Amino acid sequence: MRISTRGHYGLKAMFDLAQHYGTAPVPLKSIAERQNLSVQYLEQLIAMLRKAGLVKSFRGAQGGYMLADNPKQITVGDVIRALEGPVAPVECVDEIDPKECDQADYCISRIVWEKIRNSIAQVMDSLTLADLCREAKAKENEKEREEKEESKEGV
Amino acid sequence: MRISTRGHYGLKAMFDLAQHYGTAPVPLKSIAERQNLSVQYLEQLIAMLRKAGLVKSFRGAQGGYMLADNPKQITVGDVIRALEGPVAPVECVDEIDPKECDQADYCISRIVWEKIRNSIAQVMDSLTLADLCREAKAKENEKEREEKEESKEGV
DNA sequence: TTAAATCCCGAGTAATTTACTATGATTTCA
DNA sequence: TGAAATCATAGTAAATTACTCGGGATTTAA
């Protein structure tokens, strides 16, 4: 029950792009450095995201990538699905193309997989990249406050 | 983002055992036939369930397996975890043994994986085998009613 | 006009995991 | 004793994962 590194690293990259939304194109090299990933592998992942229409690319010097849309409009679900395919804990409850199963009528485990699928989708689809940026900022502020407290107390 | 056949088939087997709870031990062969699975593969899965304390075994002729506890007391989560290990969409948010990650402080994607993990766990842990048996019965009744309607209408 | 920066594309590959099968031993009941 | 079971271990083909490698195409800046 794992997400592969594709989804894992890909989401990091998209979060990075979201934090640079509205600026010049961001080259992969800088994303790779900040997120501690290999450029060559990232190239593959971002190609998938581009084909899914989630990022725009600009070639040549000063080129790079940017989100194709406002971070508020892009959900975690969009990103994960582009990289990992449709949500489907087992193939017979695939979101897009459920595999025909001769036991579908009376298979009870199916109910379980459907519930799991729906709960995963619900989380992914209700979280946008903008939400993540907000969380990141909140975390940062908290950290700063803590540091101030510490220096006050002379720890 | 898949559950392997271990969890998939294993849950079917446990559901089968739940439907026979309170009767004589059920041999693997009969489970395999009803659920359309290979006996030899099932042997491996049920061994894991036995080691996890979820089923009891009886060797020799007239032997077989039975649930170690009332179906009301065994959750889908118990079964899946016994077969697939702890819920962990990525290793850094493993339920039991999260892998140390030097970015843990500021890694935002982590928040996403935690939410997904929790929602999966919530579904799994709130569904018992008894719930599945009840759903199976409801489905069966519904089918019977439909069939009666059909014969009335002479379709 | 050339060099540098960047994206783009396809192939290759080692390691791991999955989903089994195969074999044979042991236990128990009738 | 013999049939019906569980129990244990090993083997394995296929698929997937997580990459790396090499080179080409495009754009910009000097």
PDB file of all heavy atoms in Angstrom, chain D residues 2-15:
ATOM      1  P    DG D   2      -2.116 -48.542   3.691  1.00  0.00           P
ATOM      2  OP1  DG D   2      -2.464 -49.675   2.808  1.00  0.00           O
ATOM      3  OP2  DG D   2      -0.750 -47.984   3.736  1.00  0.00           O
ATOM      4  O5'  DG D   2      -3.122 -47.356   3.367  1.00  0.00           O
ATOM      5  C5'  DG D   2      -4.520 -47.572   3.502  1.00  0.00           C
ATOM      6  C4'  DG D   2      -5.216 -46.227   3.552  1.00  0.00           C
ATOM      7  O4'  DG D   2      -5.079 -45.652   4.881  1.00  0.00           O
ATOM      8  C3'  DG D   2      -4.603 -45.194   2.601  1.00  0.00           C
ATOM      9  O3'  DG D   2      -5.662 -44.362   2.163  1.00  0.00           O
ATOM     10  C2'  DG D   2      -3.674 -44.387   3.510  1.00  0.00           C
ATOM     11  C1'  DG D   2      -4.537 -44.343   4.762  1.00  0.00           C
ATOM     12  N9   DG D   2      -3.858 -44.028   5.994  1.00  0.00           N
ATOM     13  C8   DG D   2      -2.542 -44.260   6.352  1.00  0.00           C
ATOM     14  N7   DG D   2      -2.266 -43.845   7.561  1.00  0.00           N
ATOM     15  C5   DG D   2      -3.457 -43.312   8.030  1.00  0.00           C
ATOM     16  C6   DG D   2      -3.764 -42.706   9.277  1.00  0.00           C
ATOM     17  O6   DG D   2      -3.045 -42.528  10.241  1.00  0.00           O
ATOM     18  N1   DG D   2      -5.096 -42.298   9.319  1.00  0.00           N
ATOM     19  C2   DG D   2      -6.009 -42.450   8.301  1.00  0.00           C
ATOM     20  N2   DG D   2      -7.225 -41.999   8.525  1.00  0.00           N
ATOM     21  N3   DG D   2      -5.727 -43.013   7.138  1.00  0.00           N
ATOM     22  C4   DG D   2      -4.444 -43.412   7.077  1.00  0.00           C
ATOM     23  P    DA D   3      -5.764 -43.990   0.623  1.00  0.00           P
ATOM     24  OP1  DA D   3      -6.432 -45.106  -0.066  1.00  0.00           O
ATOM     25  OP2  DA D   3      -4.449 -43.463   0.163  1.00  0.00           O
ATOM     26  O5'  DA D   3      -6.770 -42.762   0.691  1.00  0.00           O
ATOM     27  C5'  DA D   3      -7.953 -42.889   1.445  1.00  0.00           C
ATOM     28  C4'  DA D   3      -8.170 -41.644   2.290  1.00  0.00           C
ATOM     29  O4'  DA D   3      -7.245 -41.627   3.408  1.00  0.00           O
ATOM     30  C3'  DA D   3      -7.956 -40.328   1.533  1.00  0.00           C
ATOM     31  O3'  DA D   3      -9.115 -39.532   1.741  1.00  0.00           O
ATOM     32  C2'  DA D   3      -6.718 -39.717   2.184  1.00  0.00           C
ATOM     33  C1'  DA D   3      -6.794 -40.291   3.583  1.00  0.00           C
ATOM     34  N9   DA D   3      -5.517 -40.363   4.293  1.00  0.00           N
ATOM     35  C8   DA D   3      -4.330 -40.863   3.846  1.00  0.00           C
ATOM     36  N7   DA D   3      -3.355 -40.808   4.729  1.00  0.00           N
ATOM     37  C5   DA D   3      -3.950 -40.232   5.842  1.00  0.00           C
ATOM     38  C6   DA D   3      -3.449 -39.897   7.124  1.00  0.00           C
ATOM     39  N6   DA D   3      -2.202 -40.108   7.506  1.00  0.00           N
ATOM     40  N1   DA D   3      -4.314 -39.327   7.993  1.00  0.00           N
ATOM     41  C2   DA D   3      -5.570 -39.122   7.600  1.00  0.00           C
ATOM     42  N3   DA D   3      -6.162 -39.397   6.438  1.00  0.00           N
ATOM     43  C4   DA D   3      -5.283 -39.952   5.587  1.00  0.00           C
ATOM     44  P    DA D   4      -9.315 -38.189   0.927  1.00  0.00           P
ATOM     45  OP1  DA D   4     -10.713 -38.184   0.453  1.00  0.00           O
ATOM     46  OP2  DA D   4      -8.185 -37.983  -0.016  1.00  0.00           O
ATOM     47  O5'  DA D   4      -9.172 -37.088   2.074  1.00  0.00           O
ATOM     48  C5'  DA D   4      -9.944 -37.217   3.249  1.00  0.00           C
ATOM     49  C4'  DA D   4      -9.454 -36.221   4.276  1.00  0.00           C
ATOM     50  O4'  DA D   4      -8.166 -36.641   4.761  1.00  0.00           O
ATOM     51  C3'  DA D   4      -9.261 -34.801   3.715  1.00  0.00           C
ATOM     52  O3'  DA D   4      -9.808 -33.884   4.649  1.00  0.00           O
ATOM     53  C2'  DA D   4      -7.749 -34.651   3.617  1.00  0.00           C
ATOM     54  C1'  DA D   4      -7.292 -35.531   4.765  1.00  0.00           C
ATOM     55  N9   DA D   4      -5.929 -36.057   4.645  1.00  0.00           N
ATOM     56  C8   DA D   4      -5.337 -36.613   3.549  1.00  0.00           C
ATOM     57  N7   DA D   4      -4.094 -37.015   3.758  1.00  0.00           N
ATOM     58  C5   DA D   4      -3.859 -36.693   5.092  1.00  0.00           C
ATOM     59  C6   DA D   4      -2.720 -36.853   5.935  1.00  0.00           C
ATOM     60  N6   DA D   4      -1.586 -37.404   5.535  1.00  0.00           N
ATOM     61  N1   DA D   4      -2.838 -36.427   7.204  1.00  0.00           N
ATOM     62  C2   DA D   4      -3.990 -35.881   7.606  1.00  0.00           C
ATOM     63  N3   DA D   4      -5.121 -35.675   6.918  1.00  0.00           N
ATOM     64  C4   DA D   4      -4.980 -36.111   5.649  1.00  0.00           C
ATOM     65  P    DA D   5     -10.456 -32.526   4.149  1.00  0.00           P
ATOM     66  OP1  DA D   5     -11.826 -32.458   4.632  1.00  0.00           O
ATOM     67  OP2  DA D   5     -10.135 -32.350   2.706  1.00  0.00           O
ATOM     68  O5'  DA D   5      -9.628 -31.440   4.936  1.00  0.00           O
ATOM     69  C5'  DA D   5      -8.316 -31.094   4.538  1.00  0.00           C
ATOM     70  C4'  DA D   5      -7.464 -30.956   5.770  1.00  0.00           C
ATOM     71  O4'  DA D   5      -6.729 -32.163   5.925  1.00  0.00           O
ATOM     72  C3'  DA D   5      -6.436 -29.846   5.608  1.00  0.00           C
ATOM     73  O3'  DA D   5      -6.928 -28.657   6.208  1.00  0.00           O
ATOM     74  C2'  DA D   5      -5.241 -30.377   6.376  1.00  0.00           C
ATOM     75  C1'  DA D   5      -5.431 -31.878   6.385  1.00  0.00           C
ATOM     76  N9   DA D   5      -4.482 -32.544   5.499  1.00  0.00           N
ATOM     77  C8   DA D   5      -4.646 -32.873   4.178  1.00  0.00           C
ATOM     78  N7   DA D   5      -3.614 -33.474   3.646  1.00  0.00           N
ATOM     79  C5   DA D   5      -2.695 -33.539   4.683  1.00  0.00           C
ATOM     80  C6   DA D   5      -1.378 -34.059   4.780  1.00  0.00           C
ATOM     81  N6   DA D   5      -0.758 -34.642   3.753  1.00  0.00           N
ATOM     82  N1   DA D   5      -0.746 -33.941   5.961  1.00  0.00           N
ATOM     83  C2   DA D   5      -1.377 -33.368   6.971  1.00  0.00           C
ATOM     84  N3   DA D   5      -2.612 -32.849   7.021  1.00  0.00           N
ATOM     85  C4   DA D   5      -3.212 -32.970   5.831  1.00  0.00           C
ATOM     86  P    DT D   6      -6.196 -27.283   5.779  1.00  0.00           P
ATOM     87  OP1  DT D   6      -7.133 -26.202   6.096  1.00  0.00           O
ATOM     88  OP2  DT D   6      -5.654 -27.431   4.424  1.00  0.00           O
ATOM     89  O5'  DT D   6      -4.974 -27.258   6.793  1.00  0.00           O
ATOM     90  C5'  DT D   6      -5.223 -27.312   8.196  1.00  0.00           C
ATOM     91  C4'  DT D   6      -3.925 -27.599   8.948  1.00  0.00           C
ATOM     92  O4'  DT D   6      -3.265 -28.726   8.341  1.00  0.00           O
ATOM     93  C3'  DT D   6      -2.922 -26.454   8.934  1.00  0.00           C
ATOM     94  O3'  DT D   6      -2.334 -26.347  10.234  1.00  0.00           O
ATOM     95  C2'  DT D   6      -1.931 -26.869   7.869  1.00  0.00           C
ATOM     96  C1'  DT D   6      -1.925 -28.382   8.033  1.00  0.00           C
ATOM     97  N1   DT D   6      -1.519 -29.097   6.794  1.00  0.00           N
ATOM     98  C2   DT D   6      -0.360 -29.834   6.805  1.00  0.00           C
ATOM     99  O2   DT D   6       0.360 -29.937   7.779  1.00  0.00           O
ATOM    100  N3   DT D   6      -0.054 -30.452   5.605  1.00  0.00           N
ATOM    101  C4   DT D   6      -0.790 -30.403   4.433  1.00  0.00           C
ATOM    102  O4   DT D   6      -0.421 -31.003   3.426  1.00  0.00           O
ATOM    103  C5   DT D   6      -1.991 -29.607   4.487  1.00  0.00           C
ATOM    104  C7   DT D   6      -2.856 -29.483   3.267  1.00  0.00           C
ATOM    105  C6   DT D   6      -2.295 -29.000   5.648  1.00  0.00           C
ATOM    106  P    DC D   7      -1.354 -25.147  10.552  1.00  0.00           P
ATOM    107  OP1  DC D   7      -1.294 -25.062  12.030  1.00  0.00           O
ATOM    108  OP2  DC D   7      -1.762 -23.975   9.766  1.00  0.00           O
ATOM    109  O5'  DC D   7       0.046 -25.641  10.012  1.00  0.00           O
ATOM    110  C5'  DC D   7       0.852 -26.493  10.836  1.00  0.00           C
ATOM    111  C4'  DC D   7       2.205 -26.660  10.194  1.00  0.00           C
ATOM    112  O4'  DC D   7       2.063 -27.317   8.920  1.00  0.00           O
ATOM    113  C3'  DC D   7       2.942 -25.342   9.917  1.00  0.00           C
ATOM    114  O3'  DC D   7       4.154 -25.397  10.646  1.00  0.00           O
ATOM    115  C2'  DC D   7       3.161 -25.333   8.408  1.00  0.00           C
ATOM    116  C1'  DC D   7       3.026 -26.803   8.040  1.00  0.00           C
ATOM    117  N1   DC D   7       2.528 -27.108   6.666  1.00  0.00           N
ATOM    118  C2   DC D   7       3.293 -27.911   5.815  1.00  0.00           C
ATOM    119  O2   DC D   7       4.394 -28.316   6.218  1.00  0.00           O
ATOM    120  N3   DC D   7       2.821 -28.209   4.584  1.00  0.00           N
ATOM    121  C4   DC D   7       1.630 -27.745   4.185  1.00  0.00           C
ATOM    122  N4   DC D   7       1.202 -28.073   2.969  1.00  0.00           N
ATOM    123  C5   DC D   7       0.826 -26.934   5.050  1.00  0.00           C
ATOM    124  C6   DC D   7       1.308 -26.635   6.274  1.00  0.00           C
ATOM    125  P    DA D   8       5.072 -24.145  10.816  1.00  0.00           P
ATOM    126  OP1  DA D   8       5.744 -24.252  12.130  1.00  0.00           O
ATOM    127  OP2  DA D   8       4.264 -22.937  10.494  1.00  0.00           O
ATOM    128  O5'  DA D   8       6.160 -24.344   9.679  1.00  0.00           O
ATOM    129  C5'  DA D   8       6.896 -25.561   9.649  1.00  0.00           C
ATOM    130  C4'  DA D   8       7.767 -25.551   8.427  1.00  0.00           C
ATOM    131  O4'  DA D   8       6.986 -25.960   7.276  1.00  0.00           O
ATOM    132  C3'  DA D   8       8.339 -24.171   8.082  1.00  0.00           C
ATOM    133  O3'  DA D   8       9.742 -24.268   8.158  1.00  0.00           O
ATOM    134  C2'  DA D   8       7.831 -23.875   6.677  1.00  0.00           C
ATOM    135  C1'  DA D   8       7.479 -25.259   6.149  1.00  0.00           C
ATOM    136  N9   DA D   8       6.414 -25.303   5.161  1.00  0.00           N
ATOM    137  C8   DA D   8       5.187 -24.691   5.197  1.00  0.00           C
ATOM    138  N7   DA D   8       4.429 -24.939   4.156  1.00  0.00           N
ATOM    139  C5   DA D   8       5.206 -25.776   3.370  1.00  0.00           C
ATOM    140  C6   DA D   8       4.978 -26.405   2.136  1.00  0.00           C
ATOM    141  N6   DA D   8       3.847 -26.277   1.443  1.00  0.00           N
ATOM    142  N1   DA D   8       5.971 -27.179   1.637  1.00  0.00           N
ATOM    143  C2   DA D   8       7.098 -27.312   2.344  1.00  0.00           C
ATOM    144  N3   DA D   8       7.440 -26.781   3.515  1.00  0.00           N
ATOM    145  C4   DA D   8       6.430 -26.006   3.978  1.00  0.00           C
ATOM    146  P    DT D   9      10.688 -22.999   8.054  1.00  0.00           P
ATOM    147  OP1  DT D   9      11.698 -23.098   9.104  1.00  0.00           O
ATOM    148  OP2  DT D   9       9.841 -21.785   7.914  1.00  0.00           O
ATOM    149  O5'  DT D   9      11.391 -23.273   6.654  1.00  0.00           O
ATOM    150  C5'  DT D   9      11.713 -24.620   6.289  1.00  0.00           C
ATOM    151  C4'  DT D   9      11.966 -24.680   4.805  1.00  0.00           C
ATOM    152  O4'  DT D   9      10.715 -24.829   4.092  1.00  0.00           O
ATOM    153  C3'  DT D   9      12.632 -23.421   4.242  1.00  0.00           C
ATOM    154  O3'  DT D   9      13.805 -23.818   3.556  1.00  0.00           O
ATOM    155  C2'  DT D   9      11.590 -22.826   3.316  1.00  0.00           C
ATOM    156  C1'  DT D   9      10.799 -24.063   2.914  1.00  0.00           C
ATOM    157  N1   DT D   9       9.405 -23.810   2.431  1.00  0.00           N
ATOM    158  C2   DT D   9       8.973 -24.448   1.286  1.00  0.00           C
ATOM    159  O2   DT D   9       9.662 -25.210   0.647  1.00  0.00           O
ATOM    160  N3   DT D   9       7.680 -24.162   0.918  1.00  0.00           N
ATOM    161  C4   DT D   9       6.801 -23.307   1.564  1.00  0.00           C
ATOM    162  O4   DT D   9       5.675 -23.142   1.125  1.00  0.00           O
ATOM    163  C5   DT D   9       7.324 -22.674   2.747  1.00  0.00           C
ATOM    164  C7   DT D   9       6.456 -21.728   3.513  1.00  0.00           C
ATOM    165  C6   DT D   9       8.579 -22.947   3.127  1.00  0.00           C
ATOM    166  P    DA D  10      14.882 -22.724   3.043  1.00  0.00           P
ATOM    167  OP1  DA D  10      16.174 -22.977   3.686  1.00  0.00           O
ATOM    168  OP2  DA D  10      14.265 -21.380   3.137  1.00  0.00           O
ATOM    169  O5'  DA D  10      14.962 -23.133   1.509  1.00  0.00           O
ATOM    170  C5'  DA D  10      14.533 -24.445   1.115  1.00  0.00           C
ATOM    171  C4'  DA D  10      14.191 -24.437  -0.357  1.00  0.00           C
ATOM    172  O4'  DA D  10      12.768 -24.202  -0.530  1.00  0.00           O
ATOM    173  C3'  DA D  10      14.905 -23.347  -1.165  1.00  0.00           C
ATOM    174  O3'  DA D  10      15.340 -23.933  -2.379  1.00  0.00           O
ATOM    175  C2'  DA D  10      13.811 -22.310  -1.386  1.00  0.00           C
ATOM    176  C1'  DA D  10      12.580 -23.199  -1.500  1.00  0.00           C
ATOM    177  N9   DA D  10      11.314 -22.538  -1.223  1.00  0.00           N
ATOM    178  C8   DA D  10      11.000 -21.732  -0.155  1.00  0.00           C
ATOM    179  N7   DA D  10       9.772 -21.274  -0.176  1.00  0.00           N
ATOM    180  C5   DA D  10       9.237 -21.813  -1.336  1.00  0.00           C
ATOM    181  C6   DA D  10       7.972 -21.709  -1.935  1.00  0.00           C
ATOM    182  N6   DA D  10       6.972 -20.988  -1.415  1.00  0.00           N
ATOM    183  N1   DA D  10       7.766 -22.366  -3.097  1.00  0.00           N
ATOM    184  C2   DA D  10       8.773 -23.085  -3.612  1.00  0.00           C
ATOM    185  N3   DA D  10      10.004 -23.263  -3.135  1.00  0.00           N
ATOM    186  C4   DA D  10      10.168 -22.594  -1.982  1.00  0.00           C
ATOM    187  P    DG D  11      16.399 -23.212  -3.308  1.00  0.00           P
ATOM    188  OP1  DG D  11      17.508 -24.145  -3.603  1.00  0.00           O
ATOM    189  OP2  DG D  11      16.662 -21.856  -2.750  1.00  0.00           O
ATOM    190  O5'  DG D  11      15.532 -23.053  -4.639  1.00  0.00           O
ATOM    191  C5'  DG D  11      14.829 -24.192  -5.151  1.00  0.00           C
ATOM    192  C4'  DG D  11      13.817 -23.701  -6.162  1.00  0.00           C
ATOM    193  O4'  DG D  11      12.712 -23.073  -5.450  1.00  0.00           O
ATOM    194  C3'  DG D  11      14.367 -22.635  -7.116  1.00  0.00           C
ATOM    195  O3'  DG D  11      14.046 -22.996  -8.445  1.00  0.00           O
ATOM    196  C2'  DG D  11      13.657 -21.354  -6.690  1.00  0.00           C
ATOM    197  C1'  DG D  11      12.351 -21.893  -6.149  1.00  0.00           C
ATOM    198  N9   DG D  11      11.649 -21.003  -5.214  1.00  0.00           N
ATOM    199  C8   DG D  11      12.127 -20.462  -4.047  1.00  0.00           C
ATOM    200  N7   DG D  11      11.251 -19.706  -3.422  1.00  0.00           N
ATOM    201  C5   DG D  11      10.129 -19.748  -4.250  1.00  0.00           C
ATOM    202  C6   DG D  11       8.858 -19.118  -4.112  1.00  0.00           C
ATOM    203  O6   DG D  11       8.466 -18.382  -3.207  1.00  0.00           O
ATOM    204  N1   DG D  11       8.005 -19.429  -5.178  1.00  0.00           N
ATOM    205  C2   DG D  11       8.349 -20.232  -6.238  1.00  0.00           C
ATOM    206  N2   DG D  11       7.413 -20.414  -7.174  1.00  0.00           N
ATOM    207  N3   DG D  11       9.519 -20.828  -6.379  1.00  0.00           N
ATOM    208  C4   DG D  11      10.360 -20.538  -5.353  1.00  0.00           C
ATOM    209  P    DT D  12      14.859 -22.319  -9.669  1.00  0.00           P
ATOM    210  OP1  DT D  12      15.583 -23.380 -10.355  1.00  0.00           O
ATOM    211  OP2  DT D  12      15.565 -21.118  -9.159  1.00  0.00           O
ATOM    212  O5'  DT D  12      13.691 -21.820 -10.624  1.00  0.00           O
ATOM    213  C5'  DT D  12      12.321 -22.052 -10.336  1.00  0.00           C
ATOM    214  C4'  DT D  12      11.489 -20.898 -10.865  1.00  0.00           C
ATOM    215  O4'  DT D  12      10.862 -20.190  -9.759  1.00  0.00           O
ATOM    216  C3'  DT D  12      12.307 -19.831 -11.608  1.00  0.00           C
ATOM    217  O3'  DT D  12      11.562 -19.412 -12.743  1.00  0.00           O
ATOM    218  C2'  DT D  12      12.406 -18.707 -10.597  1.00  0.00           C
ATOM    219  C1'  DT D  12      11.034 -18.808  -9.957  1.00  0.00           C
ATOM    220  N1   DT D  12      10.857 -18.133  -8.648  1.00  0.00           N
ATOM    221  C2   DT D  12       9.629 -17.569  -8.379  1.00  0.00           C
ATOM    222  O2   DT D  12       8.698 -17.613  -9.154  1.00  0.00           O
ATOM    223  N3   DT D  12       9.532 -16.950  -7.162  1.00  0.00           N
ATOM    224  C4   DT D  12      10.527 -16.835  -6.214  1.00  0.00           C
ATOM    225  O4   DT D  12      10.310 -16.253  -5.156  1.00  0.00           O
ATOM    226  C5   DT D  12      11.792 -17.443  -6.569  1.00  0.00           C
ATOM    227  C7   DT D  12      12.921 -17.364  -5.598  1.00  0.00           C
ATOM    228  C6   DT D  12      11.893 -18.054  -7.756  1.00  0.00           C
ATOM    229  P    DA D  13      12.306 -19.454 -14.185  1.00  0.00           P
ATOM    230  OP1  DA D  13      12.581 -20.852 -14.544  1.00  0.00           O
ATOM    231  OP2  DA D  13      13.400 -18.460 -14.136  1.00  0.00           O
ATOM    232  O5'  DA D  13      11.187 -18.887 -15.156  1.00  0.00           O
ATOM    233  C5'  DA D  13       9.843 -19.342 -15.013  1.00  0.00           C
ATOM    234  C4'  DA D  13       8.897 -18.160 -15.046  1.00  0.00           C
ATOM    235  O4'  DA D  13       8.858 -17.508 -13.753  1.00  0.00           O
ATOM    236  C3'  DA D  13       9.278 -17.087 -16.055  1.00  0.00           C
ATOM    237  O3'  DA D  13       8.093 -16.725 -16.747  1.00  0.00           O
ATOM    238  C2'  DA D  13       9.843 -15.941 -15.209  1.00  0.00           C
ATOM    239  C1'  DA D  13       9.081 -16.112 -13.894  1.00  0.00           C
ATOM    240  N9   DA D  13       9.796 -15.676 -12.692  1.00  0.00           N
ATOM    241  C8   DA D  13      11.112 -15.870 -12.375  1.00  0.00           C
ATOM    242  N7   DA D  13      11.455 -15.384 -11.198  1.00  0.00           N
ATOM    243  C5   DA D  13      10.284 -14.845 -10.713  1.00  0.00           C
ATOM    244  C6   DA D  13       9.986 -14.182  -9.501  1.00  0.00           C
ATOM    245  N6   DA D  13      10.864 -13.955  -8.533  1.00  0.00           N
ATOM    246  N1   DA D  13       8.713 -13.766  -9.331  1.00  0.00           N
ATOM    247  C2   DA D  13       7.818 -13.999 -10.300  1.00  0.00           C
ATOM    248  N3   DA D  13       7.984 -14.611 -11.474  1.00  0.00           N
ATOM    249  C4   DA D  13       9.254 -15.010 -11.616  1.00  0.00           C
ATOM    250  P    DA D  14       8.159 -15.659 -17.945  1.00  0.00           P
ATOM    251  OP1  DA D  14       7.252 -16.142 -18.997  1.00  0.00           O
ATOM    252  OP2  DA D  14       9.572 -15.317 -18.243  1.00  0.00           O
ATOM    253  O5'  DA D  14       7.484 -14.388 -17.272  1.00  0.00           O
ATOM    254  C5'  DA D  14       6.271 -14.562 -16.553  1.00  0.00           C
ATOM    255  C4'  DA D  14       5.949 -13.268 -15.853  1.00  0.00           C
ATOM    256  O4'  DA D  14       6.810 -13.106 -14.701  1.00  0.00           O
ATOM    257  C3'  DA D  14       6.150 -12.039 -16.726  1.00  0.00           C
ATOM    258  O3'  DA D  14       4.941 -11.307 -16.697  1.00  0.00           O
ATOM    259  C2'  DA D  14       7.324 -11.293 -16.067  1.00  0.00           C
ATOM    260  C1'  DA D  14       7.245 -11.775 -14.627  1.00  0.00           C
ATOM    261  N9   DA D  14       8.509 -11.788 -13.898  1.00  0.00           N
ATOM    262  C8   DA D  14       9.713 -12.282 -14.302  1.00  0.00           C
ATOM    263  N7   DA D  14      10.669 -12.174 -13.403  1.00  0.00           N
ATOM    264  C5   DA D  14      10.039 -11.565 -12.326  1.00  0.00           C
ATOM    265  C6   DA D  14      10.511 -11.180 -11.042  1.00  0.00           C
ATOM    266  N6   DA D  14      11.755 -11.345 -10.625  1.00  0.00           N
ATOM    267  N1   DA D  14       9.616 -10.601 -10.207  1.00  0.00           N
ATOM    268  C2   DA D  14       8.356 -10.433 -10.636  1.00  0.00           C
ATOM    269  N3   DA D  14       7.803 -10.751 -11.801  1.00  0.00           N
ATOM    270  C4   DA D  14       8.709 -11.329 -12.616  1.00  0.00           C
ATOM    271  P    DA D  15       4.799  -9.982 -17.608  1.00  0.00           P
ATOM    272  OP1  DA D  15       3.427  -9.982 -18.136  1.00  0.00           O
ATOM    273  OP2  DA D  15       5.972  -9.822 -18.492  1.00  0.00           O
ATOM    274  O5'  DA D  15       4.865  -8.879 -16.459  1.00  0.00           O
ATOM    275  C5'  DA D  15       4.053  -9.045 -15.302  1.00  0.00           C
ATOM    276  C4'  DA D  15       4.483  -8.052 -14.257  1.00  0.00           C
ATOM    277  O4'  DA D  15       5.783  -8.403 -13.742  1.00  0.00           O
ATOM    278  C3'  DA D  15       4.586  -6.623 -14.779  1.00  0.00           C
ATOM    279  O3'  DA D  15       3.711  -5.845 -13.984  1.00  0.00           O
ATOM    280  C2'  DA D  15       6.067  -6.260 -14.586  1.00  0.00           C
ATOM    281  C1'  DA D  15       6.505  -7.222 -13.501  1.00  0.00           C
ATOM    282  N9   DA D  15       7.913  -7.596 -13.511  1.00  0.00           N
ATOM    283  C8   DA D  15       8.629  -8.139 -14.532  1.00  0.00           C
ATOM    284  N7   DA D  15       9.884  -8.402 -14.226  1.00  0.00           N
ATOM    285  C5   DA D  15       9.990  -7.998 -12.901  1.00  0.00           C
ATOM    286  C6   DA D  15      11.070  -8.010 -11.984  1.00  0.00           C
ATOM    287  N6   DA D  15      12.286  -8.456 -12.284  1.00  0.00           N
ATOM    288  N1   DA D  15      10.835  -7.530 -10.738  1.00  0.00           N
ATOM    289  C2   DA D  15       9.605  -7.080 -10.446  1.00  0.00           C
ATOM    290  N3   DA D  15       8.526  -7.021 -11.205  1.00  0.00           N
ATOM    291  C4   DA D  15       8.788  -7.505 -12.450  1.00  0.00           C
TER     292       DA D  15
END
